[in-house]
Amino acid sequence: MKKLAIVAALCLVLWSCNSEPTLQQYFVKNSESKDFIALDLTTDILRLNKSEISAEENAALETLKKMNILAYQADAKNPAKFEAERAKIKNILKNEKYQELIKVNSGKEGGAVYFVGEEDKIDEFVLFANKNDAGFAIVRVLGKNMSPNSIMTMLSVLNKANLDIEQLKPLQKMIPN
């Protein structure tokens, strides 16, 4: 009887585990791969003078924890690999926890913005952009209780930022000369 209870408990644990891949797992798996460029950024990259931003802008920035960027550069010699990786991302983003905000597609390139959480308490924004001849990038904006308004406010703060471009140098590999 004891063995049966242990087996039943083990089956219950295994059954309750979600075997679907997550964006976090995808980032972890590929962040060390030579095929990807991975960056983790904090708000320090903005190098803001706190006296030049409003209380609203500061409050919006306080909801932001960090950004993770994962980029894959398309290789004309191996288009199947690009398609396979892009398909993995699209499959992950089909999960109902990723709620689509906007989608843009023009055939050879496209992008979409998703969020995780509730509309006024967003924990994660996901930006997915791809271009057939260049590659794709996924940006995870992680925070706590973010809102679409706070994201828009953060974007306006970028105009006041003195960006630390050194942190973005790895992405230059993806920009054709």
Side-chain angles (χ1 to χ4, degrees):
M1 187 68 163
K2 197 175 196 179
K3 287 182 185 179
L4 182 61
I6 292 172
V7 170
L10 183 59
C11 287
L12 182 61
V13 167
L14 292 175
W15 180 68
S16 66
C17 291
N18 187 353
S19 62
E20 292 181 26
T22 66
L23 210 47
Q24 175 67 25
Q25 290 168 338
Y26 188 84
F27 267 74
V28 170
K29 179 182 176 190
N30 293 297
S31 65
E32 300 295 323
S33 169
K34 66 177 178 51
D35 296 330
F36 289 85
I37 297 167
L39 294 171
D40 291 324
L41 305 172
T42 64
T43 55
D44 295 341
I45 191 174
L46 299 176
R47 295 195 300 193
L48 289 165
N49 182 344
K50 295 285 186 178
S51 65
E52 293 180 5
I53 62 173
S54 70
E56 178 188 7
E57 292 168 332
N58 191 50
L61 286 171
E62 291 293 322
T63 67
L64 178 66
K65 290 182 186 174
K66 66 179 179 174
M67 289 190 330
N68 302 127
I69 302 171
L70 188 66
Y72 180 88
Q73 187 170 7
D75 181 359
K77 296 176 186 173
N78 195 354
K81 171 92 169 140
F82 169 70
E83 287 301 326
E85 294 301 328
R86 184 166 59 174
K88 288 176 188 176
I89 295 296
K90 287 181 176 182
N91 187 48
I92 291 170
L93 294 173
K94 286 180 183 176
N95 184 308
E96 65 186 28
K97 87 175 196 175
Y98 298 103
Q99 300 176 59
E100 188 176 289
L101 282 176
I102 188 168
K103 188 173 197 168
V104 179
N105 193 350
S106 68
K108 292 184 178 184
E109 54 190 60
V113 178
Y114 301 84
F115 73 92
V116 176
E118 299 172 28
E119 287 181 24
D120 58 341
K121 293 181 181 178
I122 297 170
D123 297 319
E124 178 179 355
F125 276 99
V126 176
L127 294 81
F128 174 54
N130 71 91
K131 189 173 183 181
N132 289 350
D133 59 349
F136 65 79
I138 312 135
V139 179
R140 297 176 68 218
V141 179
L142 303 168
K144 185 171 174 95
N145 296 330
M146 294 183 293
S147 70
N149 287 341
S150 65
I151 292 293
M152 296 306 290
T153 301
M154 283 184 242
L155 291 175
S156 72
V157 170
L158 289 177
N159 292 328
K160 298 176 182 180
N162 182 15
L163 288 176
D164 183 0
I165 302 301
E166 282 299 309
Q167 290 189 45
L168 300 175
K169 285 240 182 211
L171 290 178
Q172 284 181 330
K173 293 182 202 175
M174 291 196 63
I175 301 170
N177 295 332

